[in-house]
Amino acid sequence: MRLEYFQLIDRIVGLDRDARTIRTEATVPNESTIFEGHFPGHPLMPGVLLIESMAQTSGWLLIALNGFARMPFLAAVKEAKLRRFVTPGERLTLDAQLAHDGSGYAVTKVKVSANGKPICDSELTLRVMPFPHPDLKVHMVSMADRLGFPMEARTDG
Amino acid sequence: MSSTFDTVANIIAETCDIPREKITPESHAIDDLGIDSLDFLDIAFAIDKAFGIKLPLEQWTQEVNEGKATTEEYFVLNNLCARIDELVAAKGA
């Protein structure tokens, strides 16, 4: 994770386009300016960033399913539960499943765990639309390379 | 049609916390009921699930934005329900 750059996923470790699921991993950094304020003497991964990590995992799933044709944007967070504190250095596993593929939107169910134990979960709605700027698509392709995005998922189908 | 309307009205009432009695077949989802685009995603999700269809929201929005259709054609509830019935019928054809 690079919290200051909103890079909340380290790698994609599993993608099943038939089952419409993805698994990603991320390690909370030991050092971050965010921990200076959140909180002094008691550094915690902010819950809003855990939600963002679930959104980014969902986003990569949707990009995989549409073959980089469209870009997902977080639109709604439902029933988010932050079950325990997450501290620097923890290694997180994130699992997302497509719950519904709508017209211009999608709904996912996402869970974050560590060592097999649940940390947080939510149902997310994402708007899915054409890339609003070509630079964004270039950026996402570059990010995909860094995250180990499967080559076979780079085209629609 | 009536059962489609009842289902849709119940979905809207539950999703948007609108009193059920305020929702009529003549209600315009946006202009009369004040439903915004984000709430309509929730409604679309519930309708898609309830009827086993996929409301073509993107196509409708594009048609409205391009002046090829009016919002009344898709968002007045008796018209919306007619579209849903068409999609259900097409699915079964």
Side-chain angles (χ1 to χ4, degrees):
Chain A
M1 287 181 175
R2 298 172 72 204
L3 300 183
E4 292 79 1
Y5 291 88
F6 252 54
Q7 293 176 8
L8 295 164
I9 300 302
D10 292 335
R11 68 194 71 82
I12 295 167
V13 295
L15 172 67
D16 186 333
R17 290 208 289 183
D18 293 330
R20 307 197 297 186
T21 60
I22 194 170
R23 171 170 285 183
T24 64
E25 289 179 347
T27 301
V28 181
N30 285 311
E31 304 282 343
S32 168
T33 55
I34 286 176
F35 298 138
E36 294 172 15
H38 195 281
F39 294 100
H42 186 55
L44 293 178
M45 173 77 171
V48 290
L49 293 184
L50 287 170
I51 291 171
E52 175 64 20
S53 71
M54 292 193 282
Q56 291 187 9
T57 297
S58 298
W60 285 113
L61 172 61
L62 298 177
I63 286 174
L65 294 175
N66 70 39
F68 278 86
R70 298 157 73 84
M71 178 70 190
F73 294 92
L74 181 62
V77 180
K78 284 188 182 169
E79 302 286 341
K81 292 182 178 173
L82 308 171
R83 299 178 184 278
R84 70 160 172 85
F85 291 156
V86 175
T87 54
E90 287 203 61
R91 183 170 173 166
L92 309 179
T93 299
L94 301 97
D95 289 289
Q97 179 167 35
L98 182 66
H100 183 67
D101 179 26
S103 171
Y105 74 99
V107 179
T108 63
K109 291 185 182 296
V110 200
K111 295 179 180 178
V112 183
S113 60
N115 298 318
K117 296 187 176 177
I119 288 177
C120 59
D121 47 83
S122 185
E123 178 183 290
L124 305 180
T125 302
L126 299 99
R127 294 185 193 276
V128 185
M129 58 183 65
F131 281 90
H133 193 283
D135 285 354
L136 178 54
K137 184 167 183 176
V138 170
H139 171 75
M140 295 307 291
V141 170
S142 171
M143 284 292 294
D145 288 335
R146 193 177 69 79
L147 297 176
F149 190 92
M151 288 299 293
E152 63 272 19
R154 299 199 181 196
T155 55
D156 196 3
Chain B
M1 171 63 82
S2 61
S3 67
T4 301
F5 171 75
D6 288 337
T7 302
V8 171
N10 290 338
I11 286 171
I12 291 173
E14 186 172 332
T15 304
C16 301
D17 200 21
I18 295 172
R20 173 65 180 81
E21 61 272 17
K22 286 191 175 180
I23 304 168
T24 70
E26 293 74 34
S27 298
H28 190 302
I30 301 166
D31 297 342
D32 297 329
L33 302 178
I35 296 169
D36 67 14
S37 64
L38 183 57
D39 280 337
F40 205 83
L41 289 188
D42 280 342
I43 292 168
F45 179 32
I47 288 174
D48 285 358
K49 281 198 299 185
F51 293 95
I53 58 175
K54 184 171 175 174
L55 285 183
L57 291 183
E58 284 190 297
Q59 177 192 329
W60 293 356
T61 302
Q62 185 175 352
E63 288 176 10
V64 169
N65 289 341
E66 292 175 353
K68 295 177 180 172
T70 63
T71 59
E72 286 77 8
E73 291 176 52
Y74 299 124
F75 297 107
V76 169
L77 295 192
N78 56 10
N79 294 336
L80 175 63
C81 291
R83 306 286 178 179
I84 291 169
D85 288 339
E86 289 170 7
L87 289 165
V88 171
K91 182 185 67 170

